[in-house]
Amino acid sequence: MAQATNASSERASPKPPSQIWNVREPHFEGTTPAQPDGYRHPSSANAAIVIDNGASGARAGWSFDQVPRFEIPPVMSRYRDRKFSKTYTFIGRDANIDATARGQQKNAFEAGSGIVSNWDVMEGLLDYMFLKLGVDGTEGGVGRPIVMTEPVANLGYSRRMMTEILFECYSAPSVAYGIDSLFSYNHNNGTTGLVISSSHSSTHLIPVLNHKPVLSQASRLNWGRAQSAEYLLKLLRLKYHNFPGKYTESQADEMIREHCYVSTDYEQELSGFLDWTGLEDRDHVLQYPFTEQVVVEKSQEELERIAEKRREGGRRLQEQAAKMRLEKLIRKEQELEYYKELQQRGTTETKKEFKRLLDAEDFKDEVELDKRIKELDKSIRKARTKDVGGAEEEEEEEPPTFPLLDIPDADLDEAGLRQKRHQRLMKSNVDARARAKIEKEAQKARIAEEERLDLEHRETDLEGWLEERRAARNTLLQRIKEREQLKADLGNRKSLASQMRMKNIANLASDNPSKKRRRGGDDDNFGANDDDWGVYRTIATGDQSDDDEEEDVGATLKTVEAQLLKYDPHFSEQNTLGAQQDWTKSLVHAFLRGPRPFDPESQRELHQIHLNVERIRVPEVVFQPSIAGLDQAGIVEIAAGIITQRLDEESGQRTEVLKDIFLTGGNALFQGFEERLRKELIAVLPAESPLGVRRAKDPVLDAWKGAASWAASPKMKAVAVTREEYLEKGSEYMKEHNLGNAATL
């Protein structure tokens, strides 16, 4: 009970977000200066240019460098300025220089893959990289060997095009290709193991035996960082379908990199991710740019001046009202005096003359004049009492009399008959009010009797009384649920309720309605039957959903719940409908807005998104592709299949590979990725199998570092395709080596 009290107090006073992350767009960081020192380095004559040609970024440097000299995204923007009649070309991050350049960006790679599809952009990237490396072209080309990475099982057409560009456009003396993940494995001193490369475009698993990759047994999972970003965008658009900001893939990629992690036990963590305890830490708030409505705050002096002005205006209004009341009172007194004089003249004037005077003042008879005098006298005394102050005098109203009703019609003239009809109508009203008063008193007596019986039932049989109240509450909740469902169905034109509504409308508009009238004939007598008027309620709100009925159901439910709270020890405040609709207990609110209240009037909060379950759901796709609709096995099933079904156990291959499960690529940087893979593999592999899982020292840059160290070794010269070999054997010619693709798979 104490824990529930603490939890409710925490919900009542939610803490502000400990941190809010601002969503950033790629911005221009300044031009990358050229670095000619590498090209002019004494050892550069025998050095190679190393390019890690990745789909997320191209990294370039020299084989004697420890790290790449720069990294640029593989994009190019080209547009023509009509004002100056010039064409501008921006490469890499320079394409973010302004909105026009960003809008014209084109990627060198096919969307979601590592295959080059736009060779104009690729050639622009190569120009940019060679210029920034200081290659001036004085030797008629780059004049240095080129080592470039490529994806697993690269298309022959793609390699031929790249080879032709490097030899024909840049006159490269020699070119060598290699797989990025194998370069990373070689750089981390791997000999025999299973290389798992989860990068931007896909995830590859390559078994390696004694430095040689077994590419015929390699597998690919079509999921990488690009697909994760697209999946996150879909989740956010479903979650915030009315979000005023704009989602972009670059923003989603940044969210994944900064906020996502791999859960070691996905199902268990997901089931309790939106629990109140600790949700402040699990829920990450991302702020998009917004413009808050400016509210001008006045100083204390201005507020006092405004208040004084209002008080002065109020005093003037009160004075004017008092003056108007006085003038009105004087007019009433004058009018009362005049009518009293007129009444006195009735005793002196003839009956005919007095009748003429009454007609001139719009009075039918002397009774109406007397009534008017009494009304004025009462109004004047009431006004005087209000001005002077004190309690108002209550006068006993005389019961109305209807003397003409007892006189036969034959004894009355035309004016008397009109007066008699008027008195009959007045008597009907008086009788109706008397009956209503009697019915009201009877209703009070009936309610009192019901309360007495209910009290007696509660005191004699408390459990039975509580069961009746619980049943009544369930019935009311069911009615509320049905009413809400009916309202929802009316919004769907294909629902049965909406179709019945349209049927009623069509029936009313039809010249030959299907409903049979009572009185026959072709005359329009709609409304003769009282049930006809229920059609309007059906059309407007649906059956059994009148506004008065809604109020009665809500009030009755509150009364029943109040009784249960008072007498049922098992029914608490948390069980009431109001508590269940509270945002602090709403799972949907926790999913959309986290553990804090939401102000729909705040532009700041409207431009916020909350990452909670998405933080573990997006990286989980690599292990469970089915949650994203991908009809493939996860990396654990693929790895287990390669190890247990494609490797020979008798020769010891399986044991040696299990000792070195190597992780590389950008997705290997996810927190918990290594631990989760180890845990899942232990569960599917045979008992007591030796298992070693390790991650690259730098999963992102080790591919370039491995390519650079390999380019500086004599092995590269032996497998590189020289310009002479290219001219002799063509662009399809390639040499196989332990770090590259095979000629035929």
Side-chain angles (χ1 to χ4, degrees):
M1 192 67 182
Q3 293 178 354
T5 305
N6 293 336
S8 61
S9 62
E10 289 179 4
R11 295 187 179 103
S13 57
K15 300 177 182 178
S18 58
Q19 184 177 359
I20 295 180
W21 288 265
N22 293 320
V23 178
R24 297 172 296 180
E25 280 283 359
H27 58 280
F28 179 63
E29 300 175 353
T31 58
T32 303
Q35 305 178 35
D37 58 304
Y39 188 70
R40 299 169 185 171
H41 196 274
S43 61
S44 67
N46 299 320
I49 297 175
V50 181
I51 300 175
D52 181 10
N53 194 25
S56 62
R59 305 167 187 88
W62 297 95
S63 57
F64 53 78
D65 289 333
Q66 299 298 319
V67 293
R69 299 211 165 205
F70 55 85
E71 176 185 358
I72 59 172
V75 296
M76 181 179 74
S77 178
R78 177 181 294 160
Y79 69 93
R80 183 170 181 79
D81 192 328
R82 297 181 179 179
K83 183 177 181 180
F84 298 100
S85 299
K86 292 183 179 180
T87 301
Y88 296 93
T89 302
F90 301 95
I91 306 293
R93 291 187 176 86
D94 295 348
N96 297 319
I97 191 169
D98 58 17
T100 305
R102 283 195 298 270
Q104 300 293 328
Q105 285 186 10
K106 294 182 180 179
N107 200 301
F109 292 85
E110 183 180 351
S113 74
I115 305 300
V116 179
S117 60
N118 194 324
W119 292 101
D120 290 337
V121 177
M122 191 71 245
E123 189 172 345
L125 289 172
L126 292 173
D127 288 342
Y128 183 88
M129 288 187 285
F130 291 145
L131 288 173
K132 296 303 179 182
L133 288 173
V135 178
D136 52 14
T138 55
E139 301 178 4
V142 295
R144 301 292 186 273
I146 297 176
V147 175
M148 183 177 290
T149 63
E150 63 178 1
V152 180
N154 189 23
L155 299 178
Y157 167 77
S158 179
R159 186 186 296 110
R160 288 197 305 271
M161 287 293 297
M162 183 64 72
T163 301
E164 291 176 4
I165 289 175
L166 294 177
F167 281 120
E168 299 293 343
C169 297
Y170 301 102
S171 301
S174 63
V175 175
Y177 300 101
I179 299 174
D180 50 0
S181 57
L182 296 180
F183 278 137
S184 177
Y185 187 56
N186 184 66
H187 182 71
N188 286 270
N189 303 318
T191 56
T192 299
L194 179 65
V195 178
I196 300 179
S197 173
S198 186
S199 58
H200 181 76
S201 58
S202 59
T203 299
H204 289 92
L205 292 88
I206 308 173
V208 179
L209 300 176
N210 196 19
H211 296 285
K212 184 173 180 61
V214 187
L215 295 178
S216 60
Q217 304 299 330
S219 295
R220 179 177 66 187
L221 173 63
N222 296 323
W223 192 268
R225 183 66 61 81
Q227 291 81 2
S228 297
E230 184 179 354
Y231 181 54
L232 179 59
L233 287 178
K234 290 181 180 178
L235 294 178
L236 292 178
R237 291 189 180 108
L238 287 172
K239 186 175 182 178
Y240 302 103
H241 53 279
N242 290 328
F243 187 68
K246 182 181 179 181
Y247 305 113
T248 62
E249 291 187 4
S250 59
Q251 294 171 354
D253 188 75
E254 181 75 14
M255 294 176 195
I256 294 173
R257 189 164 47 248
E258 295 292 334
H259 304 282
C260 293
Y261 66 94
V262 175
S263 173
T264 55
D265 192 341
Y266 176 73
E267 298 296 336
Q268 181 179 359
E269 186 170 357
L270 182 65
S271 63
F273 206 96
L274 295 177
D275 290 347
W276 187 270
T277 304
L279 185 57
E280 295 88 349
D281 299 326
R282 296 190 297 270
D283 184 74
H284 285 196
V285 183
L286 278 68
Q287 182 68 63
Y288 273 75
F290 68 97
T291 302
E292 192 64 86
Q293 296 178 354
V294 179
V295 179
V296 179
E297 295 185 0
K298 296 181 175 59
S299 63
Q300 187 64 29
E301 296 180 356
E302 291 177 333
L303 293 175
E304 292 178 356
R305 187 165 55 251
I306 293 173
E308 181 61 30
K309 188 180 294 185
R310 288 178 178 174
R311 287 192 293 269
E312 181 64 26
R315 285 192 294 269
R316 287 198 299 267
L317 289 175
Q318 290 176 355
E319 293 174 358
Q320 292 176 2
K323 183 179 179 181
M324 291 176 63
R325 287 198 303 270
L326 180 59
E327 294 176 352
K328 188 175 181 180
L329 180 60
I330 293 173
R331 287 197 302 269
K332 286 184 177 181
E333 290 178 344
Q334 293 175 352
E335 188 176 358
L336 177 61
E337 184 178 356
Y338 173 75
Y339 287 149
K340 285 183 177 180
E341 292 178 357
L342 181 61
Q343 191 178 34
Q344 290 293 329
R345 292 181 62 180
T347 59
T348 59
E349 299 288 345
T350 62
K351 187 174 182 180
K352 185 176 181 180
E353 180 65 19
F354 185 64
K355 176 65 176 173
R356 186 185 64 78
L357 293 174
L358 290 177
D359 291 341
E361 297 297 335
D362 295 330
F363 290 117
K364 294 181 180 180
D365 52 18
E366 189 176 356
V367 176
E368 190 171 350
L369 174 61
D370 185 63
K371 182 180 178 181
R372 178 61 177 163
I373 291 174
K374 290 181 179 180
E375 290 177 353
L376 285 174
D377 185 60
K378 181 179 178 181
S379 176
I380 291 171
R381 284 189 282 105
K382 185 177 180 180
R384 287 175 177 172
T385 304
K386 185 175 181 181
D387 291 339
V388 174
E392 296 184 5
E393 298 179 2
E394 295 184 1
E395 293 185 355
E396 295 184 2
E397 294 186 0
E398 297 179 358
T401 58
F402 310 101
L404 295 181
L405 297 182
D406 299 331
I407 302 175
D409 293 347
D411 298 341
L412 297 174
D413 57 4
E414 185 177 353
L417 291 174
R418 287 198 302 268
Q419 186 65 22
K420 183 178 180 179
R421 286 195 295 270
H422 177 70
Q423 290 185 5
R424 183 180 293 112
L425 180 61
M426 294 298 295
K427 187 176 185 302
S428 300
N429 292 336
V430 171
D431 294 342
R433 287 197 296 269
R435 286 194 301 270
K437 186 176 181 180
I438 295 173
E439 291 177 359
K440 189 174 181 181
E441 294 295 332
Q443 179 71 12
K444 288 182 179 180
R446 188 164 52 252
I447 293 174
E449 180 64 17
E450 291 176 356
E451 291 178 352
R452 187 188 66 78
L453 294 175
D454 185 72
L455 176 61
E456 183 179 349
H457 181 35
R458 185 175 70 241
E459 292 176 349
T460 56
D461 185 10
L462 179 60
E463 289 299 326
W465 182 84
L466 288 176
E467 286 297 327
E468 292 179 0
R469 288 295 173 269
R470 296 189 191 106
R473 180 177 180 272
N474 293 334
T475 303
L476 292 172
L477 290 176
Q478 183 64 28
R479 290 178 62 185
I480 293 175
K481 184 177 179 180
E482 292 174 355
R483 186 182 65 209
E484 293 177 351
Q485 183 63 40
L486 180 61
K487 288 182 178 180
D489 290 344
L490 287 176
N492 181 10
R493 61 185 181 87
K494 295 184 179 180
S495 65
L496 179 61
S498 182
Q499 292 177 3
M500 291 300 297
R501 178 175 179 268
M502 294 305 299
K503 183 178 179 180
N504 288 329
I505 294 176
N507 187 33
L508 289 175
S510 175
D511 293 334
N512 298 311
S514 59
K515 183 177 179 180
K516 295 181 180 180
R517 304 297 184 187
R518 286 192 193 180
R519 299 184 179 179
D522 297 332
D523 296 334
D524 184 8
N525 53 11
F526 180 83
N529 184 3
D530 292 340
D531 294 337
D532 293 341
W533 300 101
V535 177
Y536 288 114
R537 290 192 296 272
T538 303
I539 294 174
T541 57
D543 295 333
Q544 299 178 352
S545 59
D546 196 18
D547 294 339
D548 295 337
E549 184 181 356
E550 293 182 11
E551 295 178 0
D552 293 342
V553 172
T556 307
L557 179 62
K558 289 182 179 179
T559 302
V560 173
E561 289 182 340
Q563 292 174 343
L564 289 173
L565 285 172
K566 186 175 181 180
Y567 298 104
D568 189 356
H570 304 292
F571 190 85
S572 64
E573 189 69 33
Q574 308 297 328
N575 302 117
T576 61
L577 180 62
Q580 293 173 3
Q581 294 176 344
D582 187 5
W583 69 267
T584 61
K585 304 173 185 65
S586 172
L587 187 66
V588 175
H589 182 93
F591 176 61
L592 294 175
R593 302 299 173 185
R596 300 167 189 88
F598 173 64
D599 181 12
E601 301 297 329
S602 172
Q603 292 296 320
R604 179 173 178 269
E605 295 187 23
L606 282 174
H607 287 77
Q608 287 179 354
I609 63 174
H610 292 250
L611 292 182
N612 33 62
V613 296
E614 297 85 5
R615 297 179 59 204
I616 61 174
R617 185 175 183 179
V618 174
E620 183 65 20
V621 179
V622 179
F623 296 89
Q624 301 184 58
S626 60
I627 66 176
L630 190 63
D631 189 16
Q632 282 189 271
I635 59 171
V636 176
E637 290 81 359
I638 296 175
I642 292 175
I643 294 172
T644 58
Q645 299 178 15
R646 304 183 190 180
L647 298 179
D648 187 12
E649 183 179 5
E650 296 180 357
S651 62
Q653 293 179 352
R654 184 182 301 176
T655 302
E656 293 300 320
V657 169
L658 279 174
K659 292 180 180 179
D660 191 14
I661 307 296
F662 179 75
L663 304 178
T664 186
N667 288 340
L669 292 173
F670 279 133
Q671 175 188 345
F673 192 92
E674 183 178 349
E675 293 79 1
R676 172 69 179 279
L677 183 63
R678 181 184 293 108
K679 176 183 176 182
E680 296 286 343
L681 286 175
I682 291 175
V684 298
L685 292 175
E688 299 180 359
S689 297
L691 179 63
V693 181
R694 65 187 179 110
R695 188 174 64 183
K697 298 176 183 178
D698 191 337
V700 177
L701 295 181
D702 276 359
W704 185 92
K705 293 178 181 178
S709 59
W710 181 77
S713 66
K715 299 178 182 179
M716 190 275 289
K717 297 181 181 179
V719 299
V721 177
T722 62
R723 181 173 179 79
E724 292 75 16
E725 291 173 330
Y726 163 75
L727 295 175
E728 178 184 355
K729 300 178 182 180
S731 58
E732 296 182 358
Y733 177 69
M734 65 174 294
K735 297 180 181 180
E736 294 186 6
H737 58 92
N738 290 343
L739 300 179
N741 283 301
T744 56
L745 295 179

